[in-house]
Amino acid sequence: ILAVDDNVIDIMTVEKLLGDHYDLATASTGEQALDLAADFRPDIILLDNMMPGLDGGDVCRQIRSDRKLRHTKIIMVSGKSRVSERIEAYKAGADDYIIKPFNEDELLAKIQVYLRLKSVEELDQFKTDVLTLLCHEARTPLNSLIAPVEMLMSEEDVGQEDKKLLIEMVHSAAKRLHCFFENVMLLSYLKSGKLPLNPEPADLCEVVHEAVCDVATKAAEHNVIVEEKFKSGHAVNIDSAQIKRAVVSILDNAIRFSQSGARVNVCVDGPPKAGESVCVSVTDRGKGIDPDFLPLVFEELSDPDIEHHSQGQGLSLSIAKQIVQHHNGTISVESEKGAGTTFTVRLPVMVPSELAHSQR
């Protein structure tokens, strides 16, 4: 939640009410709110209508023009109660309007309603994008399935070498389709909170090493060397299978964008102090990520022109983000054009089962 208000007392009231229950950021000006929103990506914005500089309406209109924040819910908070002022707020793009001093129970109830609504809208948008993408993503592998199968079914004499090649084409296309559908279903379950995690004590170094082994064949095919650097064993409480899947996704991405002969470094570092998080980092020396695309790197189907989407839809990295967040961890990326990219996963040492099962 992002709370925006130039009144210090009002901000303190919101912090007291929400600070212990939500990831809360605050801003005192409209300009600061826009800067924060770009990186913080709030689910809900509590927006004061009357502020110096950019007022609430101006901020609201700019938020609504940002595709990355299209599902963010905006609750306008104002000391003005005239109907005309409410209408202006709704015209600017506000989802709701609350008059100061607001009732705390009412605000908490509205937050819950809009969090559920945002989740439903995001899932509906995801399903729509997937259906659109499916028409295009499935076309190439289906063609690669149909044509070879028709040749194999024909009465023409097909030599053993040609038969082997055709079968390999069918197998490759089928695997690609299977992987696509598997990723779509997994991401849908994660986003809807229907995939429970099962945290158990595990050695994070062993989990990451298994992930490295899983991508060994792909690394060899690309002539990329994956180097491991583990300081020591780190006992954590995680769903090992899902964390391994997340690390595999990050490694797969690093290998795919590395040049032949390059190295990818995988590090596991323990918490410097008791109670802090453990860290997994994956660094490649590829061409780097375009700065304009960097904020979208974890967004599924992030190409706005989805009908002309190139192969690779960002599903795997989005899945990795969802898995890490369900473990109450964080995932981030740093990249420099021409110098490479580093993905960093931070996980709490202990993930209580009741937290891992809760929806984010």
Side-chain angles (χ1 to χ4, degrees), residues 196-240:
L197 301 182
N198 301 297
E200 293 180 349
D203 186 328
L204 185 59
C205 293
E206 290 183 3
V207 174
V208 174
H209 176 69
E210 290 176 6
V212 172
C213 292
D214 280 5
V215 300
T217 300
K218 183 163 188 173
E221 291 173 351
H222 286 72
N223 192 29
V224 172
I225 301 170
V226 181
E227 293 185 337
E228 301 174 58
K229 184 180 179 182
F230 303 157
K231 286 193 174 181
S232 61
H234 299 294
V236 288
N237 198 44
I238 56 174
D239 185 318
S240 298

Side-chain angles (χ1 to χ4, degrees), residues 2-192:
L2 172 60
V4 187
D5 202 313
D6 62 330
N7 187 306
V8 176
I9 294 177
D10 287 344
I11 286 290
M12 291 175 63
T13 300
V14 171
E15 287 178 333
K16 183 179 179 181
L17 181 64
L18 305 177
D20 292 337
H21 306 286
Y22 298 95
D23 187 1
L24 180 68
T26 61
S28 58
T29 67
E31 292 83 359
Q32 186 183 8
L34 292 173
D35 289 339
L36 269 173
D39 294 326
F40 186 56
R41 308 285 287 279
D43 296 302
I44 293 175
I45 299 177
L46 302 178
L47 181 59
D48 183 28
N49 196 21
M50 301 297 296
M51 294 182 293
L54 290 177
D55 64 15
D58 294 328
V59 173
C60 199
R61 279 183 283 271
Q62 291 197 42
I63 292 291
R64 287 291 170 244
S65 67
D66 189 338
R67 179 182 175 275
K68 299 187 295 293
L69 300 171
R70 58 182 167 172
H71 295 300
T72 295
K73 299 304 171 188
I74 300 175
I75 301 177
M76 197 78 81
V77 183
S78 176
K80 297 184 176 182
S81 59
R82 292 193 306 182
V83 172
S84 61
E85 290 155 349
R86 290 170 177 260
I87 292 174
E88 284 303 312
Y90 291 132
K91 285 182 177 179
D95 295 286
D96 209 336
Y97 193 99
I98 292 183
I99 300 170
K100 297 180 183 179
F102 53 79
N103 180 279
E104 293 185 356
D105 289 336
E106 181 186 11
L107 178 61
L108 290 173
K110 285 180 179 290
I111 286 173
Q112 287 299 313
V113 168
Y114 283 112
L115 284 175
R116 288 195 297 269
L117 181 59
K118 178 177 183 288
S119 177
V120 170
E121 288 179 356
E122 287 178 326
L123 197 55
D124 285 345
Q125 183 65 53
F126 172 67
K127 291 175 180 177
T128 300
D129 288 346
V130 166
L131 288 173
T132 304
L133 180 63
L134 183 59
C135 298
H136 300 271
E137 179 62 20
R139 185 177 300 157
T140 299
L142 279 175
N143 288 338
S144 299
L145 282 169
I146 295 170
V149 169
E150 287 179 344
M151 294 178 67
L152 288 169
M153 292 173 64
S154 70
E155 296 180 358
E156 297 178 11
D157 186 24
V158 180
Q160 286 298 318
E161 287 298 319
D162 290 337
K163 185 181 292 185
K164 181 181 178 183
L165 177 61
L166 292 171
I167 292 173
E168 287 176 352
M169 290 173 62
V170 170
H171 183 250
S172 176
K175 282 182 63 179
R176 179 175 166 185
L177 273 177
H178 180 266
C179 181
F180 174 67
F181 284 116
E182 188 179 57
N183 282 341
V184 167
M185 292 303 298
L186 176 60
L187 187 54
S188 296
Y189 281 128
L190 285 165
K191 290 176 76 69
S192 62

